[in-house]
Amino acid sequence: MKQQLISILLTIFLTGCWQFDNDSKMLVGDYNIGWVDNMRWQTIMYNADGKGLGSYETDPYIFAVGHNDKYIIAKQHPLCKDYFGKECMPDQSITNYFILDAIERTKIGPLSETEFSEKKKQLDIENLEFDIVSPEIPND
């Protein structure tokens, strides 16, 4: 009887958690790109303590990232204001660009494509390319 109860509770627990999903990739320093529960919430996060994904440094949906030892560059299609609405998908008509200084922990952006190109030139990171690319419309 006790084993049956434990089996039933374990089944309920595991069934209730099966849809929780996440992914994360380390970038530079304490930065990573990741999402929890829904890929459209993918963003760049800062995680000083090494536990978990960290605090959001950009708004979602980040779909392209590049980095070197000092800088992180990112491309974003913003989500609607109601992040939790099922119809809330990235707005492909808007593309924002960001540059994060991982040493100084500063963020430049959102920038237009022209502003982004100019800022990359000023920072001497013109050769920094987007090497982590996700679909422009996330797979939910």
Side-chain angles (χ1 to χ4, degrees), residues 13-31:
F13 175 74
L14 292 175
T15 303
C17 296
W18 76 273
Q19 288 186 346
F20 180 78
D21 198 6
N22 71 348
D23 191 20
S24 176
K25 292 179 183 81
M26 289 307 298
L27 298 173
V28 59
D30 294 318
Y31 287 89

Side-chain angles (χ1 to χ4, degrees), residues 44 57-63 72-79 83 94-100 106-119:
I44 295 175
E57 296 297 302
T58 61
D59 286 335
Y61 170 65
I62 299 295
F63 67 92
I72 300 167
I73 58 173
K75 260 194 220 188
Q76 175 221 42
H77 289 317
L79 291 179
Y83 285 178
I94 302 170
T95 302
N96 295 318
Y97 296 82
F98 295 89
I99 300 173
L100 288 85
T106 57
K107 176 179 75 175
I108 303 167
L111 302 168
S112 69
E113 187 172 12
T114 303
E115 294 168 326
F116 176 68
S117 295
E118 290 171 6
K119 192 51 105 169

Side-chain angles (χ1 to χ4, degrees), residues 23-35 42-47 52-53 55-58 62-75 98-103 106 128-134:
D23 191 20
S24 176
K25 292 179 183 81
M26 289 307 298
L27 298 173
V28 59
D30 294 318
Y31 287 89
N32 63 63
I33 180 170
W35 53 274
Q42 182 164 269
T43 186
I44 295 175
M45 292 171 260
Y46 179 78
N47 181 10
L53 294 171
S55 63
Y56 281 29
E57 296 297 302
T58 61
I62 299 295
F63 67 92
V65 173
H67 69 284
N68 62 20
D69 292 341
K70 182 174 181 182
Y71 292 103
I72 300 167
I73 58 173
K75 260 194 220 188
F98 295 89
I99 300 173
L100 288 85
D101 183 325
I103 306 298
T106 57
L128 189 54
E129 301 290 329
F130 295 105
D131 58 358
I132 300 171
V133 181
S134 301

Side-chain angles (χ1 to χ4, degrees), residues 3 14 18 29 40-41 84 107 110 120-121:
Q3 281 185 325
L14 292 175
W18 76 273
R40 69 183 156 179
W41 295 345
F84 298 103
K107 176 179 75 175
K120 279 179 67 176
K121 190 173 186 175

